[in-house]
Amino acid sequence: QVQLVESGGGLVQAGASLRLSCAASGRTFSTSLMGWFRQAPGKEREFVAAITLSGGRTHYADSVKSRFTIYRDNAKNTVYLQMNSLQPEDTAGYYCASRSVGSYYSQVQEYDYWGQGTQVTVSS
């Protein structure tokens, strides 16, 4: 099994930046992709960004592509999400996820393991 622990969330003003971290432990040798999702109250969990662990190929939701950056530190078994120019609509619980193999990177069902989430709140 894989355990994922997110950190770095908080309460910030619009325009501020945050960096989220996702530390993976356990049997991570088969992990090929890690992603970030977010979920606001009353809404579906939605894709934010993903990265392949071998080649570092990245994918982003259109809504965050120009503002967020996902990157990895394989030696530390950690994936980060750098969030700049945060807006109130970015307010959500942010969840880290990992998978071994799959056909898609943006669907919740493609991922095998999930963290408990970290809250990001952006005020106007």
Side-chain angles (χ1 to χ4, degrees), residues 42-112:
K43 301 187 69 175
E44 297 287 334
R45 188 165 297 188
E46 66 175 354
F47 170 76
V48 176
I51 186 168
T52 62
L53 298 188
S54 58
R57 182 179 178 88
T58 58
H59 308 272
Y60 297 94
D62 289 342
S63 60
V64 307
K65 187 175 297 182
S66 63
R67 299 182 294 119
F68 291 10
T69 302
I70 186 171
Y71 63 100
R72 75 204 195 283
D73 186 338
N74 287 348
K76 295 182 178 180
N77 233 7
T78 300
V79 171
Y80 304 90
L81 184 68
Q82 178 66 46
M83 305 184 294
N84 297 327
S85 301
L86 284 163
Q87 304 168 16
E89 51 264 40
D90 296 316
T91 295
Y94 282 72
Y95 298 85
C96 179
S98 69
R99 79 174 193 202
S100 54
V101 295
S103 299
Y104 303 96
Y105 56 82
S106 62
Q107 298 184 10
V108 170
Q109 64 181 349
E110 291 293 309
Y111 290 81
D112 303 311

